[in-house]
Amino acid sequence: MKNIIRHRDSAYLAMVAPSAILLVIITIIPILATFYISLHFFNPTSTRQFGWVGWENYGYLLEDSRYLNSLRVMLWLIVIPVALQITLGMALAIALKEKLAGTSWMRVLFLLPAVIPPAVSGLVWKLFIVPGAGGVTYMGSLLGIDLQLDLLSSPNSALFVIIVCSTWVGTPFVALLFLSSLETISKDLYEAAHLDGAGWLQSHWSISIPIMRPVIMTVMVFRILEALAIFPIIFILTGGGPAGSTEPVNYYAYVSGFQYLKIDYAATIIVSFFVILMVFCAPFLIRIARAAR
Amino acid sequence: MKLSPSEKLLCYIVMVAFTIILIAPIAWLLSSSFKDQLGIFQSPPVLVTANPTLDNFKEVLGDKQFIAAFWNSMIIGVSTVIITMLFATPAAYGLSRMRSKAKVGLLSWVLLVRAAPGMVYIVPYFIAFNQIGLMDTKSGLVLINSVFTIPLAIWIMIAFFDAVPKEVEEAAHVDGATRIQTLLRVALPMAAPGVASTAILVFIFSWNEFLFALTMTRIDARTAAIAILDYMAFEGTAWGKVAAAGILILLPVLIFSIFIRKYLVQSAAGAVKE
C-alpha cells in the first residue's frame, strides 16, 4: 500500500517538477546573485573595477540617514494603510452582508480598485488632487470653500496622499474577502446570540470577529506584503519626495540602482529588505501553507 | 437577524460614504477625459464640462507610440498567460493530489516566491538582461512576469483541482488512463471555469505590471502603463490625454474582471481560507 502511494506521488512530483525547477532558476539564483553583488563594488559610472569589498556596503547602510528614514516611511506605509484597510473592510463587509435594498451593485463596484493598474490608480489620485483643477477643488467649490492646496508639496501631506491612495486601492477587496468569509458563518450562532439579548453590532463583535480571526490574520499578512511592494503609486504621485518623505525602502533601492547607478548599494538595500520581509512574513506564510491542506 | 431602522441607516451611511470616496476619483478621471485643456483648468472646476470633446481619445488613439505600447501589453499578456498555464496547470494538479510530506514544503515555497515583491529580483535581472540581450524585448518581460504569475496561478488552481471529486479520477485510472491523461481528460474539463478565470487573472497581472516594464524596456517593448508617462512631460501634464489613456488602459481589465467577478473573490478567498 505504501509503495502504491509513493509510486503515485512520484507521478505527481513529475508534474510539479518543471515549475519547481523553473522557479529555482528564476527566483533563488537571482536572490543569491543579489547577495553576491552586495559584497562587491559595482558601479558602471565609476572607473573602479568590479571587486570584492566584503561587508563594506552594509556598514554604509547603517550610517545612511536616508536609508534609516526609508525604513521609517516603510513602517508608516504598512501600519496605517493596513490597519485602515482591515477596520474599514470589516465595517463594509458587515454592512454589505445585510443585502439591503439597492446595495448589490456595490459588490461589483468594489472589485474596481483591485483590478485597476496601480499606475492608473496613481494617476487617478494625482488628477483628483491637482490644485485648482482637481476633484478636491471641485468638491470644495460645491461646499463654497476655495480648496487649492498643493498636497504633494509638503512632506506630511504627500505621505497622507500616498496613505489615502493605498487604502483606497486595498479596502474594497479586503471588504469582499471578509464578506465571503462572513457569509459562511452559521445563522444559528447569531440567532442564539439574539436570544441571549445581544444586539446586532454586539453579536458581530462577539461572534463574527472571533470566528474570523484566522482569516483576518491571513488577509493582514497579504496586505502587508502588498504594502511592502508599493511602487507605481509612489513613482507616479511623488517620486519619493518631497525630501524623501514618501520614500520607503524598496523605492530607495530603485533610486540607488537606477538613478544613481550604485548597483552594489541597491543590491545591499534589497538584501536588507528581503531579510526584513522573510523575518516578519515567512512564519505566517508557512503557517498559511500548512493550514491550506 | 433583523435590523432595527437605525441599524439599517448606519449600514447605508457606511456604504454610501465609502462608495462616494471609491467612485469620486474615477468619475473625475472620466470627466476629465472629455474636457479640453481650457475645460480642465476652468475655475471653479466642473464635473460635467459644457463643451465635451472626444479629441483626447482621438489624439491618444492616433498616437502611434501609444498604440504600439498597447499592442505590446496585449502580446506580453497573452504570452504570459500561455507560458504560465503550461507550467502551472500540471504543477497545481500535482500539488493538489500529492500526499507526501514534500507537499507542505513545496506549498510554503510557492507562497514565499509569490509573496516577494518584484524589487527583490530586479538587480540580477537587469544585469543579466543587459548581458544576454533581453533588455527591451517582449520575451524578457514575459519571462519576468512568469516569475510572479506561475506561483500565483499554482496557488489559486490548487483549490479548483481540490474541488474535483477524486472518485471520477479513480474510475478513469482503473480504466487504464495515466496520470497525465486523467488530468487532461477528467480533471481539467471539470475545473475549466476556475482554470479559465485564473488565466484571466494572470493576464490582468501582466497588464498591470509596472516596475519591470519601467526598468527593462526603453522603446521597443514598452507597455501601455509606461507609455502613459509620455503625457506627463516636463512642459506640464496633458491631463486630458492622461485621463483618456488611463480610461483606455483600464477598459480591458475592467471587462475581464466583470467576466470573472465570481471567481476573483473566490480565488483570492481560496488563498486566505484557513
Side-chain angles (χ1 to χ4, degrees):
Chain A
M1 190 64 198
K2 231 179 191 171
N3 271 332
I4 297 172
I5 291 176
R6 204 169 287 155
H7 170 72
R8 282 167 42 176
D9 258 12
S10 71
Y12 296 132
L13 211 51
M15 294 180 179
V16 180
S19 286
I21 293 165
L22 184 73
L23 287 177
V24 168
I25 296 169
I26 61 184
T27 63
I28 308 273
I29 292 174
I31 289 168
L32 294 175
T34 307
F35 181 59
Y36 176 81
I37 292 164
S38 75
L39 300 175
H40 291 74
F41 178 86
F42 185 24
N43 184 339
T45 60
S46 164
T47 49
R48 197 176 142 189
Q49 289 277 308
F50 181 85
W52 172 262
V53 293
W55 298 96
E56 203 178 290
N57 283 320
Y58 291 88
Y60 294 140
L61 205 60
L62 296 175
E63 291 161 12
D64 182 355
S65 62
R66 188 165 172 182
Y67 173 72
L68 299 175
N69 174 64
S70 75
L71 282 174
R72 206 172 56 227
V73 173
M74 179 174 80
L75 203 63
W76 279 111
L77 289 180
I78 291 173
V79 174
I80 301 181
V82 173
L84 284 172
Q85 286 168 14
I86 301 283
T87 42
L88 290 173
M90 185 56 89
L92 287 162
I94 288 171
L96 279 171
K97 192 202 169 199
E98 299 304 330
K99 292 192 172 133
L100 296 172
T103 61
S104 58
W105 55 277
M106 286 184 188
R107 294 178 183 225
V108 184
L109 185 78
F110 272 34
L111 284 174
L112 195 56
V115 296
I116 291 183
V120 175
S121 298
L123 286 171
V124 162
W125 278 91
K126 190 154 194 172
L127 175 60
F128 195 63
I129 60 169
V130 175
V136 172
T137 309
Y138 167 70
M139 288 167 101
S141 75
L142 290 182
L143 301 169
I145 314 165
D146 188 23
L147 278 178
Q148 301 231 8
L149 305 163
D150 189 357
L151 290 172
L152 298 178
S153 65
S154 87
N156 285 336
S157 60
L159 188 62
F160 174 76
V161 171
I162 302 286
I163 288 171
V164 169
C165 183
S166 116
T167 308
W168 180 84
V169 170
T171 303
F173 200 57
V174 169
L176 291 177
L177 291 176
F178 283 164
L179 178 64
S180 76
S181 154
L182 206 52
E183 283 177 334
T184 61
I185 299 175
S186 157
K187 268 185 192 151
D188 301 347
L189 289 172
Y190 296 106
E191 300 287 336
H194 185 60
L195 289 177
D196 289 344
W200 167 64
L201 279 178
Q202 203 185 345
S203 65
H204 276 303
W205 181 256
S206 53
I207 297 171
S208 314
I209 292 177
I211 290 180
M212 285 172 66
R213 183 162 296 149
V215 174
I216 296 172
M217 284 298 289
T218 311
V219 170
M220 202 168 77
V221 173
F222 281 107
R223 291 326 297 179
I224 290 174
L225 289 166
E226 203 72 25
L228 274 164
I230 186 169
F231 181 83
I233 293 174
I234 294 177
F235 184 88
I236 302 248
L237 277 166
T238 64
S245 57
T246 57
E247 185 178 80
V249 175
N250 68 334
Y251 202 88
Y252 183 36
Y254 169 80
V255 173
S256 300
F258 295 94
Q259 287 177 13
Y260 304 153
L261 295 175
K262 291 194 270 182
I263 308 279
D264 52 351
Y265 198 54
T268 312
I269 298 172
I270 288 167
V271 170
S272 78
F273 178 63
F274 185 68
V275 169
I276 295 171
L277 180 87
M278 284 298 125
V279 167
F280 287 101
C281 296
F284 289 104
L285 291 172
I286 292 167
R287 223 170 68 189
I288 292 166
R290 190 166 291 158
R293 297 315 118 196
Chain B
M1 181 174 279
K2 266 193 99 62
L3 294 178
S4 72
S6 60
E7 286 164 345
K8 273 189 185 170
L9 184 67
L10 183 65
C11 281
Y12 275 115
I13 291 174
V14 169
M15 283 187 289
V16 171
F18 189 79
T19 304
I20 291 172
I21 299 171
L22 187 67
I23 294 179
I26 298 174
W28 197 253
L29 182 82
L30 193 62
S31 131
S32 303
S33 69
F34 295 111
K35 288 177 181 170
D36 52 20
Q37 197 69 1
L38 269 173
I40 282 173
F41 286 99
Q42 181 185 345
S43 176
V46 290
L47 183 59
V48 181
T49 176
N51 324 299
T53 168
L54 285 174
D55 286 355
N56 294 317
F57 288 97
K58 277 184 202 150
E59 277 178 55
V60 171
L61 289 172
D63 180 347
K64 285 206 180 73
Q65 288 185 331
F66 184 80
I67 294 300
F70 203 86
W71 275 115
N72 282 345
S73 284
M74 281 285 175
I75 295 165
I76 291 166
V78 171
S79 317
T80 304
V81 169
I82 294 170
I83 303 272
T84 302
M85 298 316 276
L86 278 178
F87 278 95
T89 312
Y93 179 72
L95 279 170
S96 161
R97 295 294 180 266
M98 205 184 268
R99 294 215 181 100
S100 65
K101 279 189 181 147
K103 187 173 170 176
V104 173
L106 281 166
L107 275 174
S108 309
W109 182 50
V110 165
L111 204 54
L112 283 175
V113 175
R114 202 205 115 174
M119 198 63 82
V120 167
Y121 305 112
I122 203 164
V123 166
Y125 273 100
F126 185 75
I127 297 168
F129 272 33
N130 270 319
Q131 301 273 330
I132 55 179
L134 277 175
M135 192 55 85
D136 202 14
T137 62
K138 293 193 260 301
S139 27
L141 278 187
V142 171
L143 178 72
I144 294 188
N145 284 343
S146 307
V147 174
F148 303 96
T149 52
I150 291 175
L152 175 76
I154 292 177
W155 185 252
I156 294 172
M157 284 194 293
I158 289 174
F160 291 122
F161 283 126
D162 279 348
V164 173
K166 295 190 178 56
E167 294 74 22
V168 189
E169 288 180 13
E170 293 303 326
H173 198 230
V174 169
D175 290 346
T178 66
R179 293 289 156 198
I180 300 278
Q181 283 170 332
T182 317
L183 163 62
L184 291 178
R185 304 219 181 112
V186 183
L188 202 54
M190 290 181 88
V195 172
S197 65
T198 307
I200 292 180
L201 211 60
V202 168
F203 181 86
I204 293 177
F205 181 97
S206 163
W207 187 266
N208 290 357
E209 204 287 318
F210 185 80
L211 175 63
F212 289 102
L214 179 74
T215 46
M216 306 292 176
T217 68
R218 298 283 172 270
I219 306 142
D220 294 343
R222 276 202 324 174
T223 62
I226 305 302
I228 202 172
L229 300 174
D230 282 357
Y231 302 130
M232 305 176 74
F234 313 106
E235 314 88 79
T237 301
W239 280 116
K241 281 201 246 177
V242 168
I247 300 279
L248 291 173
I249 295 176
L250 210 153
L251 273 181
V253 287
L254 190 65
I255 294 166
F256 274 146
S257 56
I258 289 172
F259 275 129
I260 57 160
R261 65 170 193 272
K262 211 177 90 196
Y263 291 98
L264 248 170
V265 179
Q266 194 185 324
S267 56
V272 301
K273 79 170 177 206
E274 193 161 354

